[in-house]
Amino acid sequence: MTIRRIASELADEILSEDPVRPHITPALKSQPGREVYTLDGQAFVCVAFCSSIPRNEEELLTSRIGSVCVPYTVWSLEKGAGRDIILALRDLMQGTHRVDRLVTLSPKTDEAKKFHLGLGATHLRETEWANNFEYSLFFT
């Protein structure tokens, strides 16, 4: 399986099916500093490149573009594909050297917490609105 970026003009239909943050419009998810990736059409992840770690959606959507890769919504059509796309995103970001950190803005659910901790992320911070989990990046 290969991770690839979806061109913003092709992403609208896919983004309208986002079960995690359906209230964030496809137009906002496709603004500069934001990207959408797929893993062979079986999993999808929306990321924002932020100047700092967002504590909530407002900070995510208003952040200046920076070197913190923030996956803020992930969903899959196939069991295990959500796991695979997060790990593929981590590997991609390590290989591009365009980011310093990979930190999620995750819903405050037990499912999300178990998901990220099970993939080896560190629970960085809990806020009133979200949890941040950090994935270690190892640059060579």
Side-chain angles (χ1 to χ4, degrees):
M1 294 182 119
T2 304
I3 190 170
R4 68 177 175 82
R5 182 177 174 196
I6 300 173
S8 59
E9 59 272 7
L10 302 176
D12 284 1
E13 184 177 334
I14 292 164
L15 293 175
S16 66
E17 297 175 17
D18 176 357
V20 180
R21 299 190 197 275
H23 54 280
I24 300 177
T25 66
L28 286 172
K29 292 175 183 169
S30 299
Q31 288 185 341
R34 297 184 180 90
E35 297 177 354
V36 180
Y37 292 89
T38 184
L39 197 63
D40 296 334
Q42 297 305 305
F44 305 91
V45 63
C46 297
V47 302
F49 295 92
C50 299
S51 58
S52 63
I53 299 168
R55 293 178 295 209
N56 55 46
E57 287 181 1
E58 181 181 351
E59 288 183 9
L60 174 86
L61 297 173
T62 59
S63 174
R64 290 183 316 202
I65 297 172
S67 62
V68 180
C69 178
V70 182
Y72 61 92
T73 186
V74 61
W75 73 98
S76 66
L77 306 176
E78 183 179 295
K79 185 168 176 59
R83 172 192 183 279
D84 293 342
I85 198 167
I86 289 293
L87 296 175
L89 178 68
R90 181 201 60 199
D91 294 346
L92 178 67
M93 291 301 125
Q94 283 180 165
T96 63
H97 299 283
R98 75 188 264 200
V99 300
D100 298 326
R101 299 176 81 178
L102 178 63
V103 181
T104 72
L105 181 69
S106 297
K108 286 182 69 168
T109 64
D110 289 337
E111 181 181 10
K113 188 173 189 176
K114 182 178 176 184
F115 175 82
H116 291 294
L117 293 176
L119 292 179
T122 302
H123 189 200
L124 186 64
R125 173 175 63 195
E126 180 174 351
T127 71
E128 185 177 342
W129 305 275
N131 282 312
N132 297 117
F133 296 94
E134 183 161 19
Y135 286 84
S136 296
L137 298 177
F138 302 100
F139 300 106
T140 56

